[in-house]
Amino acid sequence: MITIILLLAVGTAIMAAPSPDQCPRILADAGVTEGFAPLVAHAIHSLALEDIRYFFKSDATEDNGIPTVNMDLSAEERVLPNAPLMGYDDDFSTIGMKSFDMVMRNMNRTNWGSRNDNVLVRVTHVLHMAELWNKISESYKNIARLLDPKSDICACATDIENNDVLNYVQYLAFKIRYPGITSGNATLTERYITALSSEGRTKRSMDEPVGYDYDFCWDGSLDYEKSRKPNFRKLDFDLSDLELLKNVSEELLDGDDGKAAVQLDSDAHWDWWRNMVKRISMGDSAYYDIAVFMFCMLN
Ligand SMILES: *[C@@H]1O[C@H](CO)[C@@H](O)[C@H](O)[C@H]1NC(C)=O
Ligand SMILES: *[C@@H]1O[C@H](CO)[C@@H](O)[C@H](O)[C@H]1NC(C)=O
Ligand SMILES: *[C@@H]1O[C@H](CO)[C@@H](O)[C@H](O)[C@H]1NC(C)=O
């Protein structure tokens, strides 16, 4: 018995982890799509530990390894290494009420969560994310029966330094902090740089009139097999926002001005928004990709 355990231990110890260049093949063979990294980034960018416990794993810890965009948009740390405890009010019993309460409690806080949108957009966002996590959790349950957390598939899915998940979360963090930064509008980029450098940390000047959406990065009509991948090679995300803004605006240029066609302020305009929300609701193969990631990270 002891020998067998030892053999197993040695066996795992000397078994080589797959190298980053083997991973795309390993993930593709497991049915994971080309859109893995951007899809995962979109799905996790605003995850709270409470959401993880509710939708995926009830005993997940603060040391969960799921990178998220820092809600504090003026903090130096753009991306947090873990999904944090958000402080949901446990007196509420549904996830809808809990997340609605979070939006309302922070309604008048600046530099928090998102910029230039109104409270209805924020409510729509949290409910949209909860719907997405609900869909992913269905796929997660199936995957949990089939996938070995020690498999090469999981080694590749969790290698966020090399599989671009971390890069895409950084990409999203820039879009959230500096709406329109990847649009190619040099005036806007200069405005952000000036606001950051001259006024120190006075970010109020960064706010533009209400009208931005959160359609960033994930475009339901985008075909990741064919689309141009952003070039992260030249970007060192350890640098500060100020050091990176210009390079991000150039290297990650994608034409996204971050603006919604209409403000969410009437039933007529909701029509545009509800179609947008439906359009970005991903679909089964995306839920599978994200569920693979969540399962491998949490187990
Ligand atoms: C708080 O935010 C709401 C919604 O954006 C706004 O209508 C209201 O004027 C704000 N109140 C204060 C005190 O800033
Ligand atoms: C570029 O950004 C500036 C500053 O926000 C804005 O005034 C201008 O209209 C933008 N240009 C275009 C073409 O969107
Ligand atoms: C950013 O871009 C400038 C040129 O615009 C270049 O000199 C610099 O090395 C770049 N920095 C990084 C970190 O990529």
Side-chain angles (χ1 to χ4, degrees):
M1 191 63 190
I2 288 168
T3 339
I4 293 167
I5 291 167
L6 270 177
L7 272 176
L8 280 176
V10 172
T12 32
I14 58 169
M15 200 157 55
S19 71
D21 51 299
Q22 292 174 302
C23 279
R25 178 82 263 143
I26 290 168
L27 288 173
D29 287 347
V32 169
T33 72
E34 289 271 310
F36 177 76
L39 292 168
V40 166
H42 173 87
I44 64 178
H45 80 276
S46 63
L47 258 185
L49 177 52
E50 290 97 326
D51 300 316
I52 294 179
R53 288 177 178 161
Y54 180 84
F55 289 101
F56 302 105
K57 195 166 191 255
S58 56
D59 61 352
T61 67
E62 289 188 68
D63 191 20
N64 52 71
I66 312 247
T68 55
V69 173
N70 193 345
M71 289 292 219
D72 180 352
L73 304 181
S74 55
E76 217 149 289
E77 196 175 22
R78 228 175 281 125
V79 170
L80 303 176
N82 297 286
L85 270 177
M86 202 69 78
Y88 286 2
D89 187 338
D90 285 329
D91 290 344
F92 293 124
S93 58
T94 62
I95 201 76
M97 194 63 218
K98 285 173 205 243
S99 50
F100 177 72
D101 170 60
M102 280 308 293
V103 172
M104 298 310 277
R105 272 195 277 151
N106 293 288
M107 179 163 56
N108 292 103
R109 198 161 157 189
T110 50
N111 300 318
W112 194 83
S114 55
R115 285 190 203 289
N116 310 333
D117 54 5
N118 67 25
V119 73
L120 279 178
V121 172
R122 294 183 199 180
V123 169
T124 308
H125 181 246
V126 292
L127 295 179
H128 159 68
M129 295 309 295
E131 187 165 84
L132 196 57
W133 297 327
N134 188 52
K135 283 292 194 184
I136 298 162
S137 75
E138 291 167 11
S139 193
Y140 184 101
K141 288 189 197 91
N142 294 328
I143 284 168
R145 287 197 297 266
L146 301 170
L147 194 55
D148 176 2
K150 293 192 186 64
S151 62
D152 283 357
I153 299 165
C154 277
C156 290
T158 57
D159 187 8
I160 59 174
E161 300 273 350
N162 292 303
N163 65 16
D164 271 348
V165 166
L166 214 42
N167 284 332
Y168 272 97
V169 176
Q170 290 279 357
Y171 185 15
L172 272 182
F174 271 99
K175 283 169 177 255
I176 291 168
R177 288 181 162 217
Y178 310 100
I181 188 66
T182 57
S183 66
N185 181 338
T187 314
L188 185 63
T189 304
E190 278 314 315
R191 277 196 43 174
Y192 284 136
I193 290 172
T194 308
L196 267 185
S197 49
S198 64
E199 303 186 47
R201 299 259 135 199
T202 320
K203 297 294 194 330
R204 203 76 185 90
S205 58
M206 229 157 257
D207 291 337
E208 301 246 338
V210 164
Y212 284 99
D213 66 6
Y214 56 86
D215 191 4
F216 30 62
C217 188
W218 167 249
D219 178 343
S221 62
L222 205 63
D223 183 347
Y224 285 105
E225 313 270 342
K226 299 200 192 85
S227 66
R228 188 184 66 87
K229 288 193 177 56
N231 182 9
F232 297 114
R233 299 270 170 298
K234 292 192 195 153
L235 298 169
D236 173 3
F237 287 120
D238 289 337
L239 297 175
S240 71
D241 288 12
L242 188 54
E243 289 168 302
L244 275 172
L245 269 174
K246 191 152 201 317
N247 298 48
V248 162
S249 74
E250 289 163 4
E251 298 298 332
L252 302 183
L253 180 71
D254 61 7
D256 174 15
D257 67 3
K259 284 199 175 92
V262 293
Q263 286 188 29
L264 181 44
D265 57 6
S266 66
D267 55 0
H269 285 171
W270 171 244
D271 204 48
W272 182 90
W273 281 84
R274 74 199 283 261
N275 285 325
M276 189 272 282
V277 171
K278 288 181 188 180
R279 186 168 56 79
I280 64 173
S281 65
M282 299 191 164
D284 289 339
S285 72
Y287 304 142
Y288 173 82
D289 286 6
I290 302 158
V292 167
F293 175 81
M294 293 303 292
F295 177 78
C296 293
M297 288 303 288
L298 298 173
N299 293 283

